[in-house]
């Protein structure tokens, strides 16, 4: 193998690919060939690096220098300066918001520093399409150990002792699930890897496939050996084409090496895996629906028990695990249950991957030890909230989870604490919300989602979610009445009791938790017809403050429905009867002017716009003539309004 | 492809490790070739290639070869700085592929400074 001087670890997770990572790859390769560096420098494609907010990105090894927000036009300079002349390019490095200096080394960027990589141990280090690179990083050593040296029961025992719990939602102890299945006397048995990943905003499992598919295959093989299965399925949604392709490549390479198939590594153990693609219904991630879906039946859940571990696919005992759970297994085998169980808290062991999205500076995929404080995730790894806004809450556990408010910022992230706070671990989505988020709107968004995704089998879930949505919609449109909140709570609890599968038993969580922590917001909507965060469209009005408007025409030109009247240097006026409240005027108005604002409640209802165009200069004059005690504030009482009448320009 | 046995898998792993060693970050030696415009003009590219050949020949996987800008002594280019775990950085000047061979053997392989080609020991003081 030829010696190289530099490996460029170019992220080709879905996010970076969408940002043009492959175009960047071509450009780099052209440039390095131009300088004759092709034998010294190689471009290695990797799975998701995690720091998705900085993509497209790459890490230069062995120096460990991190470059983000790459554009093809940056590449010629970068290749010449850094890879030819050895001068790292500062302007392409990551610059944290609070500091002005770029941070060259990936290992010094706080986003990476606080993480602990077990499942994502190979992310950004190996090319996921090359089995040899996985093998080089101790890949398949766990199988090497398990097959000749451990009995199936010993494997189960080890996983039990490690304290590993399922990463797919409910947190069921993995070893115990395997034991139940292994105790069944019926054969054949099956193992299923669940990569349905239906939570909006979550992409942990997709990234795992894209960055290290063999870790899932190895974990599945060990699980199969432990329970006595010889066939497995990977269930993954069709919307993940890159993940599926990488998994297909990995499976065929593993077969070529005899790591799947008959008599694996010369043992008597046979095992192979098939990919099954789902069409992305949320309920298909639920284990009994998923099994129905693979069997070609309508994907509706069924009553449990019997659990799939007893009666699963094709009526046979089946272990179904989330793929992150499975990818953890080889590491536990290699490093031991004792090592693993020292990480995390008393009841939640190891690490968990989260996708950190929403109103957060460092959007991305993170792996952290269980028990880490929410504060560390939001402020240290996440780098805080953009534009210095206030942190309001974070939704965990996907649409069936709940929100954790800012006063619980010290909460340790583990299964029990999250459940106690009214949310749940779920599969690891974390949606961060700032002060501009309306909690009624958030609840409505998630109920809309679960209402769409309810399979319709249980009345409570099907019609109950509909009724919840109706009430929430009314509240958000200013039609709420006394008793609505109590009704939401009561119906929510009833749906929990009367639904069969996890979709119904968890769907009221977003309502219950927002009512628990943000009841005042519901009350403001109901009583004052006011949306404190100024989000609910029916309760807000956009308004141009004449004291600030300079008459620049930017908003006038931007408005898609021509609802803003105005000429150059005349104060602009929004025609409320035409305004669709898209908010583009507020976006475009330069921050130092900040003339466009949102009004809600009484001030919106009583808004009186200027009757006609006034030159900006004229407005200023009349204002100073009134000796500064006059301010155009639309929600002032009658006296002010009369006063304003006096100042109208004919 | 024939199915692997455990021994063959292990052999494959040893071989495969060589392919990714740049990314693992465990280095005992570091060679920096100075590649300012002056260095490039004086033949620094050739020096990089010569060091790469030495590394390949020696089979060492713990030696990092990088480049950096001009070292400020343009008349003595091509130049390189060599650092090993237990020695301070040493600057070597007026390099030729032949000198590279000797420096690599003496300094990297045997751990002694190749004093005849060195201009100075230690780095510039920080500001
Ligand atoms: C509505 C619903 C959706 C679910 N979606 C997923 C999913 O996308 N991925 C997943 O691994 N588990 C999902 N689950 C949980 C699975 O039913 C099952 O508990 C899990 O795959 C078991 O794996 P684990 O023990 O490794 O966590 C879902 C459950 C429900 C009720």
């Amino acid at each position: 193998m030829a010696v190289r001087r530099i490996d460029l670890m170019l992220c080709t997770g879905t996010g970076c690919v969408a940002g043009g990572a492959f175009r960047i790859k071509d450009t780099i390769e052209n440039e390095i060939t131009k300088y004759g560096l092709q034998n010294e420098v190689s471009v290695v494609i990797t799975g998701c690096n995690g720091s998705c907010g900085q993509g497209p990105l790459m890490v230069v090894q062995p120096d460990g220098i991190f470059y983000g927000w790459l554009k093809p036009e940056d590449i010629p300079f970068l290749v010449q300066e850094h890879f030819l002349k050895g001068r790292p390019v500062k302007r392409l490095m990551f610059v944290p918001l609070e500091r002005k200096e770029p941070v060259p080394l990936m290992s010094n960027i706080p986003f990476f520093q606080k993480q602990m990589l077990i499942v994502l141990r190979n992310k950004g280090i190996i090319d996921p399409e090359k089995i040899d690179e996985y093998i080089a990083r101790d890949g398949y050593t766990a199988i090497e150990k398990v097959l000749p040296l451990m009995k199936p029961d010993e494997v189960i025992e080890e996983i039990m002792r490690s304290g590993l719990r399922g990463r797919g939602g409910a947190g069921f102890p993995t070893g115990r699930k395997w034991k139940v299945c292994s105790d069944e006397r019926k054969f054949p048995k099956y193992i299923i890897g669940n990569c349905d990943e239906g939570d909006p905003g979550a992409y942990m499992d997709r990234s795992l496939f894209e960055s290290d598919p063999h870790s899932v295959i190895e974990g599945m093989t060990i699980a199969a050996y432990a329970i006595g299965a010889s066939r497995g399925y990977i269930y993954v949604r069709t919307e993940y084409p890159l993940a599926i392709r990488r998994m297909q490549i990995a499976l065929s390479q593993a077969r070529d090496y005899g790591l799947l198939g008959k008599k694996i590594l010369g043992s008597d153990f046979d095992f192979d895996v098939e990919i099954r693609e789902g069409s992305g219904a949320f309920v298909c991630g639920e284990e009994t629906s998923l099994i129905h879906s693979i069997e070609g039946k309508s994907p509706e859940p069924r009553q449990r028990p019997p659990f799939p571990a007893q009666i699963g696919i094709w009526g046979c005992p089946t272990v179904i695990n989330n793929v992150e759970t499975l990818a953890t297994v080889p590491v536990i085998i290699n490093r031991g249950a004792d090592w693993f169980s020292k990480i995390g808290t008393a009841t939640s062991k190891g690490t968990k991957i989260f996708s950190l999205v929403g109103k957060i500076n460092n959007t991305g995929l993170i792996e952290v030890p269980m028990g880490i404080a929410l504060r560390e995730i939001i402020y240290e790894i996440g780098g805080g909230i953009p534009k210095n806004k206030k942190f309001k809450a974070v939704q965990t556990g996907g649409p069936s989870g709940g929100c954790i408010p800012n006063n619980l910022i010290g909460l340790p992230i583990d299964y029990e604490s999250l459940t106690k706070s009214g949310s749940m671990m779920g599969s690891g989505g974390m949606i961060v919300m700032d002060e501009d988020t309306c909690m009624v709107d958030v609840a409505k968004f998630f109920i809309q989602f679960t209402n769409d995704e309810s399979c319709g089998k249980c009345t409570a879930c099907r019609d109950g979610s509909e009724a919840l949505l109706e009430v929430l919609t009314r509240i958000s449109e200013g039609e709420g009445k006394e008793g609505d909140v109590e009704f939401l709570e009561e119906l929510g609890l009833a749906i929990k009791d009367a639904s069969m599968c996890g979709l119904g038993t968890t769907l009221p969580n977003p309502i219950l938790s927002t009512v628990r922590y943000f009841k005042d917001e519901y009350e403001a909507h109901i009583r004052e017809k006011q949306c404190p965060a100024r989000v609910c469209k029916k309760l807000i009005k956009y308004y141009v403050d004449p004291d600030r408007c300079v008459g620049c025409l930017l908003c006038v030109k931007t408005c898609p429905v021509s609802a803003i009247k105005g000429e150059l240097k005349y104060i602009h006026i929004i025609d409320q009867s035409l305004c669709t409240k898209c908010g583009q005027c507020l976006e475009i108005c330069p921050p130092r002017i900040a003339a466009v604002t949102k009004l809600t409640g009484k001030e919106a209802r009583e808004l009186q716009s200027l009757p006609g165009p006034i030159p900006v200069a004229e407005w200023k004059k009349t204002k100073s003539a009134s000796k500064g005690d006059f301010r155009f504030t639309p929600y002032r009482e009658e006296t002010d309004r009369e006063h304003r009448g006096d100042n109208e320009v004919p | 492809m024939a199915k692997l046995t455990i021994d063959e898998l292990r052999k494959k792993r040893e071989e495969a490790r060589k392919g990714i060693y740049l990314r693992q970050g465990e280095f005992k030696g570091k060679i920096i070739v100075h590649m300012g415009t002056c260095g490039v003009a004086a033949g620094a590219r050739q020096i990089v290639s010569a060091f790469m050949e030495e590394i390949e020949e020696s089979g060492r996987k713990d030696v990092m070869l990088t480049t950096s800008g001009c070292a400020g002594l343009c008349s003595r280019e091509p130049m390189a700085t060599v650092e090993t775990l237990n020695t301070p950085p040493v600057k070597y000047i007026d390099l030729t592929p032949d000198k590279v061979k000797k420096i690599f053997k003496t300094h990297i392989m045997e751990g002694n400074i190749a004093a005849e080609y060195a201009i100075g020991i230690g780095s510039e003081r920080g500001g």
Side-chain angles (χ1 to χ4, degrees):
Chain A
M1 195 161 296
V3 174
R4 296 180 306 270
R5 189 156 68 72
I6 297 176
D7 278 350
L8 300 175
M9 314 308 292
L10 180 73
C11 177
T12 58
T14 291
C16 284
V17 169
F22 281 110
R23 255 189 308 135
I24 287 170
K25 177 171 186 273
D26 293 343
T27 321
I28 299 176
E29 282 172 346
N30 280 340
E31 289 295 313
I32 58 183
T33 312
K34 199 161 107 190
Y35 292 107
L37 297 171
Q38 65 275 19
N39 295 327
E40 302 170 25
V41 182
S42 87
V43 185
V44 183
I45 58 160
T46 74
C48 181
N49 162 292
S51 187
C52 307
Q54 269 75 46
L57 59 87
M58 71 177 167
V59 180
V60 182
Q61 296 291 17
D63 309 357
I65 289 175
F66 180 97
Y67 290 123
W69 290 311
L70 294 171
K71 290 194 279 308
E73 54 272 27
D74 296 329
I75 302 302
F77 184 72
L78 177 67
V79 170
Q80 193 189 2
E81 279 299 295
H82 189 168
F83 311 144
L84 179 66
K85 296 187 183 163
R87 293 191 288 236
V89 178
K90 277 207 171 127
R91 95 181 141 77
L92 299 174
M93 292 173 185
F94 174 69
V95 186
L97 287 166
E98 69 279 16
R99 280 181 254 161
K100 296 262 160 12
E101 270 298 286
V103 179
L105 293 185
M106 172 161 147
S107 52
N108 290 343
I109 297 174
F111 178 81
F112 297 105
Q113 267 173 340
K114 278 262 162 178
Q115 297 195 45
M116 179 174 194
L117 303 182
I118 293 180
V119 180
L120 297 175
R121 59 197 174 275
N122 289 328
K123 78 155 190 198
I125 297 179
I126 63 167
D127 178 340
E129 299 183 8
K130 296 198 175 122
I131 188 172
D132 281 359
E133 298 206 347
Y134 177 71
I135 289 175
R137 296 267 302 163
D138 288 336
Y140 291 109
T141 47
I143 296 225
E144 224 177 270
K145 179 171 170 187
V146 162
L147 292 183
L149 301 175
M150 292 173 84
K151 294 202 186 68
D153 281 345
E154 290 170 343
V155 176
I156 294 177
E157 177 62 29
E158 190 75 6
I159 298 300
M160 275 199 196
R161 276 203 315 118
S162 75
L164 176 65
R165 294 169 65 175
R167 305 304 194 224
F172 193 83
T174 306
R176 235 165 67 210
K177 191 184 275 189
W178 292 10
K179 181 87 176 90
V180 171
C181 188
S182 122
D183 285 346
E184 289 293 317
R185 297 271 56 95
K186 186 168 175 199
F187 288 90
K189 293 178 182 177
Y190 292 90
I191 168 91
I192 299 176
N194 187 347
C195 188
D196 186 57
E197 197 159 57
D199 295 8
Y203 58 106
M204 300 78 50
D205 297 347
R206 185 191 79 205
S207 293
L208 183 55
F209 275 35
E210 287 174 1
S211 61
D212 197 12
H214 287 283
S215 65
V216 177
I217 299 175
E218 189 176 7
M220 264 183 106
T221 308
I222 294 166
Y225 175 77
I227 62 171
S230 54
R231 288 276 300 280
Y233 296 98
I234 285 173
Y235 189 85
V236 51
R237 55 179 48 226
T238 295
E239 294 104 309
Y240 283 180
L242 184 62
I244 294 172
R245 202 181 73 226
R246 293 209 171 132
M247 183 51 84
Q248 276 163 341
I249 292 172
L251 288 172
S252 86
Q253 289 176 343
R255 274 183 214 118
D256 278 351
Y257 277 9
L259 294 162
L260 287 175
K262 298 253 175 254
K263 299 200 178 303
I264 294 174
L265 289 180
S267 70
D268 283 332
F269 176 61
D270 306 339
F271 179 63
D272 211 330
V273 179
E274 241 178 89
I275 297 180
R276 287 301 172 95
E277 294 177 29
S279 306
F282 181 56
V283 77
C284 283
E286 193 280 333
E287 52 190 25
T288 59
S289 303
L290 189 156
I291 287 171
H292 288 153
S293 167
I294 296 181
E295 289 174 338
K297 297 179 186 151
S298 156
E300 285 175 3
R302 66 156 172 81
Q303 196 70 46
R304 298 173 312 168
F307 291 97
Q310 303 159 305
I311 299 179
I313 194 162
W314 320 116
C316 300
T318 304
V319 161
I320 169 161
N321 274 134
N322 172 263
V323 290
E324 184 185 336
T325 316
L326 292 168
T328 316
V329 167
V331 191
I332 297 176
I333 297 294
N334 276 332
R335 306 193 62 172
D338 290 333
W339 167 81
F340 187 79
S341 63
K342 285 200 188 84
I343 303 163
T345 67
T347 53
S348 306
K349 302 298 187 190
T351 53
K352 176 80 194 83
I353 310 177
F354 292 99
S355 50
L356 193 58
V357 298
K359 299 294 174 58
I360 186 95
N361 277 320
N362 302 331
T363 305
L365 202 71
I366 61 170
E367 182 173 355
V368 289
M370 294 274 193
I372 188 172
L374 182 59
R375 179 185 300 108
E376 289 176 79
I377 295 183
I378 302 291
Y379 289 104
E380 292 176 41
I381 298 174
I385 314 299
K387 300 183 193 158
N388 282 323
K389 299 262 178 178
K390 277 215 290 288
F391 168 65
K392 185 166 186 178
V394 58
Q395 173 87 10
T396 71
S400 35
C403 70
I404 305 168
N406 64 350
N407 58 345
L408 293 182
I409 188 84
L411 190 82
I413 301 300
D414 60 58
Y415 291 100
E416 278 68 30
S417 309
L418 283 171
T419 308
K420 251 204 335 242
S421 75
S423 182
M424 61 183 214
M425 180 74 76
S427 56
M430 271 197 184
I431 304 175
V432 183
M433 301 177 258
D434 68 3
E435 55 187 295
D436 293 338
T437 314
C438 166
M439 301 316 282
V440 176
D441 187 61
V442 165
K444 197 175 91 181
F445 171 83
F446 286 117
I447 300 299
Q448 177 85 61
F449 178 85
T450 35
N451 173 254
D452 280 346
E453 296 289 342
S454 170
C455 77
K457 188 167 179 168
C458 304
T459 315
C461 172
R462 180 189 66 229
D463 294 347
S465 59
E466 191 76 30
L468 292 176
L469 187 57
E470 230 176 82
V471 177
L472 284 172
T473 306
R474 257 200 306 103
I475 295 176
S476 72
E477 293 182 348
E479 308 290 329
K481 33 182 214 287
E482 289 301 323
D484 275 351
V485 172
E486 292 71 20
F487 174 79
L488 286 174
E489 282 185 298
E490 195 183 335
L491 179 58
L493 293 172
I495 295 172
K496 271 176 169 287
D497 285 342
S499 300
M500 191 179 67
C501 90
L503 202 162
T505 60
T506 58
L507 81 82
N509 284 347
I511 295 183
L512 297 176
S513 69
T514 46
V515 167
R516 175 166 161 191
Y517 297 116
F518 297 97
K519 198 167 193 168
D520 52 332
E521 269 188 52
Y522 280 86
E523 284 168 353
H525 282 75
I526 294 170
R527 293 187 191 148
E528 335 283 338
K529 312 296 175 205
Q530 179 185 347
C531 175
R534 292 157 210 248
V535 171
C536 294
K537 284 193 177 174
K538 289 256 164 91
L539 299 181
I540 59 165
K541 278 183 185 157
Y542 285 84
Y543 166 65
V544 181
D545 184 347
D547 284 353
R548 306 197 60 110
C549 181
V550 295
C552 73
L553 286 178
L554 268 178
C555 62
V556 175
K557 288 184 189 151
T558 301
C559 180
V561 293
S562 307
I564 309 180
K565 307 281 173 269
E567 293 162 45
L568 192 64
K569 302 220 163 111
Y570 274 67
I571 288 166
H572 304 333
I573 303 167
I574 300 177
D575 182 341
Q576 298 296 336
S577 65
L578 295 176
C579 176
T580 58
K581 297 169 189 171
C582 68
Q584 290 187 40
C585 50
L586 194 148
E587 290 283 311
I588 198 85
C589 189
R592 75 199 149 77
I593 309 288
V596 184
T597 55
K598 290 188 270 186
L599 307 176
T600 183
K602 193 160 177 237
E603 51 179 63
R605 280 194 301 282
E606 295 181 0
L607 172 67
Q608 298 256 319
S609 299
L610 292 180
I614 306 174
V616 173
E618 193 123 351
W619 175 262
K620 291 232 160 79
K621 241 192 309 184
T622 50
K623 239 194 78 189
S624 56
S626 64
K627 296 184 194 76
D629 59 347
F630 173 81
R631 241 196 62 121
F632 184 90
T633 34
Y635 46 85
R636 290 265 172 86
E637 293 307 322
E638 285 309 302
T639 50
D640 260 3
R641 224 176 274 154
E642 280 159 23
H643 195 139
R644 194 167 57 245
D646 294 344
N647 289 309
E648 267 169 24
V649 177
Chain B
M1 150 101 38
K3 311 283 177 225
L4 301 181
T5 62
I6 288 183
D7 282 342
E8 286 160 348
L9 177 60
R10 286 187 183 143
K11 244 190 244 128
K12 201 162 240 347
R13 184 171 299 117
E14 281 316 306
E15 191 56 30
R17 280 202 173 121
K18 294 180 195 162
I20 64 160
Y21 80 101
L22 285 178
R23 313 163 202 171
Q24 312 249 39
E26 276 164 28
F27 293 95
K28 296 209 181 77
K30 184 172 178 180
I31 302 165
I32 306 164
V33 180
H34 299 282
M35 298 264 279
T37 308
C38 45
V40 175
R45 295 278 312 125
Q46 224 187 328
I47 300 306
V48 172
S49 309
F51 272 119
M52 281 180 67
E53 267 166 42
E54 290 305 314
I55 294 173
E56 182 159 9
E57 213 166 280
S58 70
R60 289 280 294 262
K61 295 296 165 209
D62 53 0
V63 179
M64 179 201 269
L65 175 62
T66 70
T67 56
S68 83
C70 174
L73 199 67
C74 308
S75 57
R76 309 307 295 272
E77 301 276 4
M79 230 169 112
T81 306
V82 176
E83 244 181 284
T84 52
L85 217 48
N86 303 314
T87 60
V90 180
K91 281 199 168 60
Y92 293 104
I93 49 168
D94 297 329
L95 293 176
T96 62
D98 253 5
K99 291 185 192 170
V100 164
K101 237 182 176 41
K102 288 184 193 133
I103 292 167
F104 192 86
K105 178 165 176 285
T106 314
H107 198 154
I108 300 283
M109 299 305 283
E110 293 163 5
N112 302 313
I113 294 166
E116 45 186 325
Y117 310 121
I119 181 173
I121 298 178
S123 267
E124 292 90 340
R125 255 186 314 198

